[in-house]
Amino acid sequence: MADGDKTLPGSLDEPGVRRFGALSGNTKGISPQTEQTGDSAASTEPPSELPAEPPLPRAGELTSASEDAIVDPSEAILERIDLDSWKWPKYFAFALTRMEEIFPTGGIPRGIGPVRELVTEENDFRPLPIDREKWSGADESWSTVGDVLANTFTDAWMVSRDGIALEEEYAWPMKPARQHMLFSISKSIVSAVVGALTDAGLLSPGDLVTTRVPALSESGYAGATIRDLLDMRSGIKFSEEYLKEGSEIRDLFEAVDFAPRTATSANGIKDFLKGLTSDREHGGAYVYRSCETDVLAWICEAVVGQPFSVIASEYVWSKIGAAHAAQVCQDRWGGSIADGAISTTLRDLTRFGEMIARGGTTAEGERVLSGQWIDDIFTGAADSAQVFADSPSGQSYPGGMYRSQFWVPSASRDVVIGIGIHGQMLYIDRATQTVGVKLSSDPQPVSLAHQHGTLAMFEAIAEAVPPKAGSATVSPVASAVDPSSDLGSAAPEAPAPDTSAPAPNTAVAGAPAPVAPAPNAAAAPAAVPRAAAGTLIPNVAAPAAAASIAPQPFVAQPGIV
């Protein structure tokens, strides 16, 4: 989400401005960073008293001995953040971990079930080469996993396989218990909620949108189906150009207070959605539009008769073994910003991805989504690849497609991803059961170089780590329903509660990928990293202070906030 009216204030080289990208492991304690050079070296001791204008901490300066100790002296920064400044580079990483302090939020409870425990291994993947021939949009100067991490404003990242945390690191201000804004990875969580309601017989992708939400009958959504919205193939007129004055995404931001309001701003997300019009036939071309996800969340609320946050908890979040609640930002009228304002912890998003990789089940065998719904995400419809290829995104991800609010980035049908602006990614490889999560605070809303670099990084790790001897193989296809069944057909009339029930959830954020540049030379074959013995990560594990990525200054770019 970006406000294109302002330029980025200040350079990250200025005194007192937090440098981005220095990561620390989660199992090594909190020793001071004596090995850093220059003014990036810092003590873990907080100041005895805060000055009137407290400087921002350096990356890695503030760590916690306990995951539960998530309040630190830097909380004073909140006094300097408002609707304009929360997107400034020097505040951005902090704001993304404190959305509940800046905007109204609805909690998505974790439920009372057991936590899916993770086991950690010590690995060093930074020397691994990335495949720049395949992911040609990556910066020409990047050749290794370490290059990607150091240059993409990484706040936290994790790679897991079969419940093993192969790597997990945090940079200030992220911590294991901190929720981080997901931006458009939120869309994939909304998709899971829609899938769960479909599995329960409460709706079907073939249902008309206006049958479920009559309030949209006078809008451009008349005649559109839920499937049209899931695949971004409605005929709605909507521009996702974040930095363009007058674009619909900018109007959406104003409606929900993610950008300063004007005299013509809509009163919340639902008022905004009712004013949208169409400019083409529904069910045709693929065009990335965040508004589609907001309508999906509204449909969920109308069908169940509860706020989206409650529905997301009951049907998905409480079943995946999450250790913490998630949350979704809301507008001042109670509408949920479901398309891009869900926040989760790093580990819990990994647990969500693991459920998708396992075909809709948890490691304990509890089914969250039907195998049919999961299979359909990976395989798509007969024309999904073609309509994607005909779109601008098709040039950036040849052979890929978009299905049910997930990206399929290549001709391989074993990998799906969630993409969020400002550098968020959820990577799911069902063939190897590898899940990668990267949470970032990139000042640029969209960067193909960062997207391709992150994909290349996760792919290199997935290919480098061999399967464990004697480990159980999880079939990526776990359909519990006849796969010949049509996920696009209308469902029988579901016992839908009052369709006029208030819906507090809708969303923002997404990022159609820009055009990819020409391919570059391929990197050398990846080497397998050395792994140490695994140890259990308790729910109170804390990040270490030893930063292993050198801070990277960011040069301000005009027109991006």
Side-chain angles (χ1 to χ4, degrees):
M1 301 166 188
D3 175 7
D5 287 337
K6 305 182 185 302
T7 58
L8 291 173
S11 163
L12 293 184
D13 286 328
E14 293 177 358
V17 176
R18 177 254 207 232
R19 295 179 185 272
F20 292 72
L23 301 179
S24 57
N26 71 315
T27 59
K28 302 177 183 177
I30 55 170
S31 59
Q33 298 189 55
T34 56
E35 295 182 0
Q36 285 190 336
T37 59
D39 61 2
S40 62
S43 167
T44 57
E45 291 296 323
S48 57
E49 60 180 11
L50 293 173
E53 284 292 324
L56 297 185
R58 298 295 184 182
E61 178 179 358
L62 293 172
T63 56
S64 171
S66 169
E67 180 181 6
D68 294 326
I70 57 176
V71 177
D72 57 49
S74 63
E75 294 287 355
I77 297 171
L78 286 169
E79 299 176 4
R80 301 157 64 183
I81 296 178
D82 56 24
L83 293 182
D84 287 325
S85 63
W86 75 277
K87 299 181 294 293
W88 292 0
K90 64 179 179 178
Y91 298 141
F92 197 37
F94 185 88
L96 294 182
T97 66
R98 305 299 199 282
M99 297 305 289
E100 73 279 4
E101 301 289 342
I102 303 171
F103 298 97
T105 57
I108 303 176
R110 65 160 299 274
I112 60 174
V115 173
R116 163 64 163 159
E117 298 291 356
L118 299 172
V119 174
T120 185
E121 292 183 343
E122 296 292 339
N123 292 287
D124 182 13
F125 294 112
R126 284 173 177 75
L128 280 178
I130 61 173
D131 187 347
R132 293 201 60 263
E133 181 175 14
K134 178 177 181 180
W135 302 110
S136 58
D139 190 281
E140 294 182 359
S141 65
W142 304 344
S143 61
T144 66
V145 167
D147 292 337
V148 176
L149 291 171
N151 292 282
T152 55
F153 303 91
T154 307
D155 294 329
W157 75 294
M158 183 173 186
V159 180
S160 76
R161 178 178 293 178
D162 293 327
I164 306 296
L166 303 174
E167 187 69 87
E168 180 184 16
E169 293 186 311
Y170 298 85
W172 182 91
M174 265 300 283
K175 299 175 184 177
R178 272 291 177 200
Q179 299 163 325
H180 190 288
M181 181 87 141
L182 303 183
F183 290 99
S184 280
I185 298 178
S186 304
K187 293 176 169 64
S188 300
I189 295 176
V190 174
S191 167
V193 177
V194 173
L197 296 182
T198 299
D199 294 338
L202 297 177
L203 56 78
S204 167
D207 295 344
L208 289 174
V209 170
T210 53
T211 298
R212 297 302 183 183
V213 184
L216 292 172
S217 296
E218 301 301 318
S219 75
Y221 282 105
T225 66
I226 294 175
R227 172 52 67 192
D228 294 335
L229 275 57
L230 284 166
D231 295 349
M232 303 281 187
R233 296 177 64 179
S234 79
I236 290 296
K237 179 181 180 295
F238 191 93
S239 168
E240 195 85 6
E241 296 183 63
Y242 301 97
L243 306 179
K244 181 179 179 181
E245 182 71 31
S247 67
E248 283 78 10
I249 191 64
R250 291 283 300 276
D251 293 342
L252 189 157
F253 291 162
E254 292 178 12
V256 301
D257 291 322
F258 273 24
R261 295 177 59 80
T262 67
T264 59
S265 298
N267 293 330
I269 189 66
K270 293 180 181 178
D271 186 47
F272 169 80
L273 295 172
K274 289 189 290 185
L276 292 176
T277 61
S278 61
D279 60 0
R280 64 180 71 84
E281 292 295 320
H282 297 304
Y286 161 80
V287 179
Y288 191 93
R289 290 169 292 239
S290 285
C291 58
E292 313 285 60
T293 316
D294 295 324
V295 176
L296 290 172
W298 192 353
I299 290 171
C300 293
E301 293 180 327
V303 167
V304 178
Q306 294 286 336
F308 176 78
S309 57
V310 174
I311 301 167
S313 171
E314 179 180 352
Y315 284 88
V316 175
W317 208 248
S318 64
K319 298 182 177 182
I320 64 170
H324 298 89
Q327 65 185 20
V328 59
C329 291
Q330 297 177 331
D331 60 41
R332 66 179 73 178
W333 293 268
S336 292
I337 309 166
D339 74 76
I342 293 177
S343 297
T344 73
T345 67
L346 179 72
R347 294 174 182 173
D348 283 344
L349 186 58
T350 301
R351 291 173 173 113
F352 172 80
E354 183 183 61
M355 179 271 293
I356 300 294
R358 296 181 67 89
T361 66
T362 65
E364 291 72 32
E366 179 179 3
R367 183 158 291 284
V368 182
L369 295 170
S370 69
Q372 181 190 13
W373 183 268
I374 299 298
D375 294 346
D376 183 77
I377 293 172
F378 285 87
T379 59
D383 63 345
S384 294
Q386 186 58 56
V387 296
F388 186 83
D390 293 340
S391 74
S393 299
Q395 300 177 54
S396 301
Y397 294 103
M401 63 181 183
Y402 191 88
R403 184 68 165 177
S404 292
Q405 309 281 291
F406 283 85
W407 298 76
V408 181
S410 69
S412 167
R413 294 300 182 252
D414 285 327
V415 174
V416 298
I417 60 175
I419 301 176
I421 56 173
H422 300 295
Q424 324 313 316
M425 184 173 289
L426 168 63
Y427 174 93
I428 303 170
D429 182 342
R430 65 174 179 175
T432 65
Q433 292 293 295
T434 302
V435 175
V437 176
K438 186 173 183 294
L439 304 175
S440 311
S441 48
D442 187 347
Q444 297 184 76
V446 182
S447 169
L448 182 66
H450 293 186
Q451 289 179 17
H452 273 209
T454 303
L455 266 170
M457 174 184 80
F458 285 138
E459 185 176 85
I461 296 172
E463 294 175 352
V465 179
K468 289 187 177 298
S471 62
T473 301
V474 179
S475 172
V477 180
S479 297
V481 189
D482 180 0
S484 63
S485 301
D486 183 8
L487 282 178
S489 60
E493 279 304 312
D498 181 10
T499 56
S500 64
N505 292 295
T506 357
V508 269
V515 178
N520 292 281
V528 178
R530 178 179 59 84
T535 55
L536 187 66
I537 303 178
N539 293 332
V540 295
S548 49
I549 296 182
Q552 298 294 318
F554 173 76
V555 179
Q557 301 183 33
I560 301 175
V561 299

